[in-house]
Structures are given as structure tokens and as C-alpha cells.
Amino acid sequence: MYSQYQLNDTGNLNTPCLIYYTDIIRENIQTIIRIAGDPERLWPHIKTHKSLELIKLQIQYGIRKFKAATISEAEIAAAAGAEKVLLAYPLIGPARKRFLDLAEAYPSTVFYAVGDDLEQLGELSELCLQFNRRMAVLADVDMGMNRTGVPVSQLEAFCRMASQLKGISFEGLHCYDGSHEQDFEKRDAEIASLDLEINQVISHLLQEGVNCSTVVAGGSPSFPCHARHTDWYLSPGTLIVQDAGYCQSFPDIPCTPGAAVLSRVVSHPDSDLFTIDLGYKGIAADPPGQRGYIAGLEDAEPVMQSEEHWVFRMKNGKNRPPIGTCLYVIPTHICPTTALYPEILTAENGSVTGSWNVTARNRKITY
């Protein structure tokens, strides 16, 4: 595992720094396309990388629809040439007008909003009418997370009423389940049951003339299951870059971690300890547990971490790395790790090839 992350020349690289391995990322993109069966089915989330360049790379493989968590992410997707962009977050307050302005600025991209509250959608409808606009909308469905979304038991009634609002074009459902079941058979059975329930709702709505032509479903762990049981659009995110957390939790999905944080050993505070310059300001502090794994040093166990330091102990008394050694830490959670850096170094075949801006790291760019 170590060799695929090691760089030939690190002498001028300041640490910590974030590296994306573009050869691995290309393989991951091809893997999710194989699982989906067709790039046209993919509607991947861009919150993992927030990068204009990585969106353009996916477009090269025929992926033209993207999901965003912020308006700035939606903006870079449109700027990259996305065919469709879904903002999978409720439009509240000034975000409504910002999103309308963004849609007007990129007329060749179809923008979708989501909603789970009729008053919220009513306000969006009124704004659309006020400015002579029209916005495509998907109902946000609560698939069991209890985070946002309309409960399935209330979904038919909600969609009927939402479809009657003027100024918006009701077009279907956004179905994020948030499944983190590690056993594939259990995960697949849970998703199959959910999909059957949602398909029954869709069938009833279609009989009543309510448009449900667009259904965007799943996240990284569940998208292979939705691919098996439906013909819906599929929305993986993390898998395109991949991290240690998902790699360990979901071995049934053959994607390889494509990012590492380059760090250096800065101290030997005790006979069996070594400290690296990667505190929790340089790597995601979630989820609970180990925040990253040092490639090639699987016997290193974390002892403590502070803002700028991370102390490890070598298990079984093995030799610790000398002070000054470059180490490659695979983040447990790549999404918030990426957001900690203004730029990503890109690497391939052991060499740094360039850099990508984390363009949507700022929550507002233009709109």
C-alpha cells in the first residue's frame, strides 16, 4: 500500500499538505461507472472534493450531473459544464434568491432545489413568480435518518400539494438514505425494502398525473444497492476519492483511497513515541476513533493529538521513523479533511503533477 502513495521528491513540499492521486481517482471513477452500468445514471456528490478540476475530470468520463451541499458547490459544477445540478439542501432565507440568480447566470445547466416543507416551497414559489423564474424541485424524502425530508407515510400527500405550486416545476424525489450498515447482505435487504416502498408511492403519484420522472437516490455505501433494485439516478460521493473509513467499513465496494496528507516526523518525545506535524487542524476530527492511518506503518497507534501535533507509539517495540521522515496519512474521513486545505496537490507515478484549488471551500464565491 505504501508504494502507491510515496513521492519521489518531497524536499520542497511544506507539511502538512493534501495530495490527491489522480491515477487512483480515475480508477475509482471507472469503478463506480461499472457498478452503475452507465455514467448517465450517476449524479455524484461534490462535497467530498469541492474541486472544479475534479468535476471536469468526471465529465471526461461521461458524468454530467452533480449534487451539491452549498450554492458555491453548485456554482463550480455549472462553471465546469454540468448538465444538471441538484442542491440537496433546503433553500432558506437569502439562499433562495442566490440560487435563482445562479440558475439565471448558467442557462445551459438545469438546476434542482429540494424541499420537505410546503411553507418553505411556497416562499420559493412566490419568489419565482416575483422574478418571472421557474425552478425544478424534488421532494426531499426521509429514508430513516430523521435529519431532513418528508416521512414516507406523508410523501404522497406532500407531492400532490407541492406539484400544485406555481413558479416551481415539481419533478420527482431526492432519496438519501444515509445507510452505514457494514454487512452488504443486510444493507442490500434494507435498501431493497425502502426502494419498494418508494416505488409504490411513485406508482400512485404517476396514476394521479404527478410528475416523478427524476429520482436521485443513495450515498456511497448504498448506491450499489439502489443500482441493483431500481432504474433511478445514483449519488455516490466519497468513493470517487475514497478514504480509510469507507474502505474499512465497506470492503464490498472496490474503491481505493486516493488521497493522503503528507506529514513529517518532528520529535521523539519518548523511547517508543514519535510525533508528526499533523494536528486536528490538518485532518478531520470525525468520526470518533482513529482519524487517519499511516501508509506502511500499520503498527503505529495514535496516543494523543492536539492542534498541531499527533503522537504515535510503535506496537511490539518496532523501530519508529527517524525525525524528518515523510509519512503519508490516509484520512479516515476525506470530506472534511479536504475542506481544511485551500489547495490539493495532484500526483501520479510518484511525482507531483500540479495542484487543484478547493474552489468551493468558501461557502460563497459569486452568488
Side-chain angles (χ1 to χ4, degrees):
M1 184 178 184
Y2 174 67
S3 61
Q4 62 187 328
Y5 301 110
Q6 186 176 16
L7 300 179
N8 298 323
D9 185 5
T10 58
N12 293 320
L13 298 180
N14 292 310
T15 54
C17 62
L18 179 63
I19 304 165
Y20 275 15
Y21 298 84
T22 51
D23 48 351
I24 297 175
I25 289 172
R26 287 192 188 95
E27 291 175 2
N28 289 342
I29 292 171
Q30 291 172 318
T31 295
I32 67 169
I33 289 173
R34 284 196 300 271
I35 294 172
D38 189 327
E40 286 295 324
R41 282 193 76 185
L42 288 167
W43 204 312
H45 213 313
I46 62 177
K47 69 179 180 66
T48 295
H49 53 83
K50 299 177 180 284
S51 167
L52 178 73
E53 288 83 359
L54 188 42
I55 296 170
K56 289 180 177 178
L57 180 60
Q58 293 174 73
I59 289 174
Q60 291 177 17
Y61 285 88
I63 300 170
R64 296 181 175 85
K65 294 175 285 292
F66 298 93
K67 185 161 79 169
T70 66
I71 292 174
S72 61
E73 292 172 9
E75 181 178 341
I76 65 167
E83 173 188 300
K84 296 181 179 181
V85 176
L86 166 62
L87 181 62
Y89 204 88
L91 286 171
I92 299 295
R96 293 189 293 265
K97 181 62 163 54
R98 289 175 59 202
F99 197 54
L100 287 182
D101 290 345
L102 175 62
E104 185 176 39
Y106 290 92
S108 61
T109 299
V110 180
F111 291 85
Y112 294 76
V114 300
D116 63 3
D117 181 85
L118 288 172
E119 183 176 349
Q120 169 214 357
L121 286 182
E123 291 173 353
L124 177 61
S125 169
E126 290 174 6
L127 197 65
C128 288
L129 292 172
Q130 179 183 344
F131 290 95
N132 196 28
R133 314 269 181 85
R134 191 167 182 82
M135 176 62 63
V137 168
L138 304 181
D140 191 24
V141 184
D142 182 2
M143 302 280 280
M145 284 193 75
N146 298 320
R147 185 176 69 178
T148 65
V150 182
V152 176
S153 61
Q154 302 170 28
L155 186 58
E156 284 187 42
F158 178 86
C159 292
R160 286 191 209 100
M161 290 183 281
S163 68
Q164 300 303 309
L165 292 172
K166 299 184 183 299
I168 67 172
S169 174
F170 185 82
E171 302 200 6
L173 310 175
H174 172 244
C175 301
Y176 178 67
D177 51 79
S179 175
H180 279 73
E181 170 57 56
Q182 295 185 19
D183 182 276
F184 175 75
E185 297 301 328
K186 291 181 180 178
R187 189 185 339 138
D188 190 59
E190 290 174 359
I191 296 303
S193 178
L194 283 169
D195 289 350
L196 179 61
E197 195 172 3
I198 296 297
N199 265 324
Q200 290 173 343
V201 171
I202 292 172
S203 177
H204 294 162
L205 290 171
L206 290 175
Q207 289 173 12
E208 297 177 22
V210 177
N211 184 13
C212 276
S213 59
T214 300
V215 182
V216 183
S220 287
S222 64
F223 101 93
C225 308
H226 291 291
R228 285 161 53 94
H229 302 298
T230 73
D231 59 359
W232 302 340
Y233 293 110
L234 309 167
S235 191
T238 299
L239 295 177
I240 290 166
V241 180
Q242 185 61 314
D243 55 27
Y246 273 14
C247 191
Q248 293 172 354
S249 297
F250 310 107
D252 55 283
I253 305 176
C255 289
T256 301
V261 181
L262 178 65
S263 181
R264 286 186 172 93
V265 179
V266 297
S267 180
H268 287 166
D270 206 344
S271 59
D272 60 346
L273 301 179
F274 66 95
T275 302
I276 65 176
D277 58 354
L278 183 57
Y280 48 72
K281 284 183 175 177
I283 194 167
D286 76 316
Q290 190 162 339
R291 294 165 179 170
Y293 297 82
I294 302 173
L297 280 184
E298 286 71 23
D299 287 322
E301 58 180 358
V303 176
M304 64 86 69
Q305 189 181 34
S306 55
E307 292 183 43
E308 308 292 350
H309 304 81
W310 201 355
V311 181
F312 286 82
R313 174 183 287 111
M314 294 302 298
K315 300 176 186 176
N316 305 319
K318 292 192 175 182
N319 292 333
R320 59 190 171 175
I323 290 175
T325 302
C326 282
L327 300 176
Y328 302 84
V329 180
I330 312 304
T332 299
H333 195 181
I334 186 56
C335 307
T337 297
T338 299
L340 296 172
Y341 293 86
E343 72 170 4
I344 303 160
L345 295 181
T346 58
E348 196 162 339
N349 298 322
S351 297
V352 173
T353 57
S355 65
W356 293 344
N357 289 327
V358 186
T359 321
R361 182 172 180 247
N362 295 327
R363 295 185 71 86
K364 185 174 182 181
I365 303 174
T366 307
Y367 299 93

